[in-house]
Amino acid sequence: MPRIIVHIDMDAFFASIEVLDYPELRGKPVIVGGPAVRGVVSAASYEARAFGVHSAMPMGEALRRCPQAVVMPVRGGRYHDMSRHIMTLLAPHTPLLEQMSVDEAYLDLTHWLPAGATGASVAAEIQTTIARETGLGCSLGVATGKAIAKMASDLRKPRGLVVVPPGEEAAFLAPLEIGKLRGVGAATERKLRALGVHTIGDLARLPATRLGGQFGVVGPELLALAQGRDDSPVVPERQAKSIGRETTYWTDVTERAVLERTLLALTDDVAESLRRHDFLARGVTLKLRDDAFRTITRSTTLPEPSDVTEALYAAARALLTAARWHRPTRLIGVTAGPLQPAADRQFNLFAEDDDKKRKVAGAIDAIKARFGNDAITRARLAKKE
DNA sequence: TCTGGGGTCCTAGGACCC
DNA sequence: TCTGGGGTCCTAGGACCC
């Protein structure tokens, strides 16, 4: 029996929420994004897209293309709240609901269709419900697999609904540009075009032997997808594997003390997130990017899995020292991972010190939860008045 | 044009063990 | 004296996605 997978993708999500909250923006080109210097576009309204503005574009370029655009800062908390509301509207349709990001989800309706309903009718109902309950538009794709449903939802934005009937997957995909295939980014697109592959249909017709070894395991996977075979499952709850924080400076930094201070603040944030989600990290990765956009990472395994700032920061700082990094720095970041549930914490004679720090950290977390993040901070991070 | 911040997965070499 | 082969873990980098 063919599966019935629905992909839902909110239309210009961040920008649409800004228009919702500030109705005077309706009909205007709206860009949600970071600062004009070193910022990028997070979302653009369709009016802004008409000028060639799209997400991930450097802000300077976006404003050159559309000087009259209204630029709004990113309000992550607001989008997150809206996302949760939308998921509660999707949940009644199936227990097999996989949230992919703040504005995207998959539903597997194969065994959850009400009598007399079809994938298309449920998708249409979802679109209507979301518009009524939130005032926001979304596009949907219905197909026998996730990747194909996603490509379908992408085809007629905004407020589209595209159904790919079972058996018509390959025909649906064939005319699309090769770069539209999920898993084909800039690098793979370049290599495929060099082989004369310009559309998904070109790839589907390519003899497997012509792919050779240059695409690794993804080669056969891309070929299968191009031919319409798409059987990855909808997985409701995925285990997080890492938690990280990074920041780009307004201007490059060379002072070691500044790098360390930022690293401590980022690590503090990561540790708090670990505790909030009941995870222990087995390792730490430091990330640095220089003024020429060259990025390096350095990672290490912790002596004991941990969720306290002191242990994570000691490791991150040691990595910074060992990296012998003296370049002008534009970005610094720290990631904790791989993760394990805190319930797996081993009794350890040497972990008593950690245990005290965890109790202090837990008390601080509680104060932040009650009075806000600014209520308490480390002496080393306190702003000098 | 001058490139954010949050992630996942794959590759490849070397260490280490049996 | 010079040498196998498999398995697993660790680390660094890169491709990709939203």
Side-chain angles (χ1 to χ4, degrees), chain A residues 34-41 56-60 245-255 258-259 262-263 266 286-296 320 325-334:
Chain A
V37 177
R38 295 195 169 175
V40 298
V41 175
M57 176 180 278
M59 209 61 180
R245 296 288 183 273
E246 63 183 59
T247 189
T248 295
Y249 293 109
W250 287 63
T251 56
D252 298 334
V253 164
T254 38
E255 249 187 293
V258 176
L259 294 180
T262 310
L263 193 56
L266 293 169
L286 170 73
K287 177 173 171 182
L288 295 161
R289 177 172 293 154
D290 70 13
D291 53 343
F293 218 70
R294 248 188 55 87
T295 308
I296 68 157
L320 179 60
W325 176 265
H326 305 294
R327 312 263 323 135
T329 305
R330 93 177 257 139
L331 172 149
I332 186 166
V334 62

Side-chain angles (χ1 to χ4, degrees), chain A residues 275 307-308 310 345 351-367:
Chain A
R275 293 190 295 272
D307 60 3
V308 296
E310 286 79 0
R345 199 190 308 277
E352 270 180 57
D353 196 39
D354 245 29
D355 216 52
K356 281 181 199 152
K357 284 169 181 154
R358 186 173 306 107
K359 280 178 187 151
V360 173
I364 293 171
D365 291 346
I367 290 168

Side-chain angles (χ1 to χ4, degrees), chain A residues 167-178:
Chain A
E168 293 182 24
E169 294 83 3
F172 163 77
L173 296 172
L176 302 180
E177 289 285 312
I178 190 62

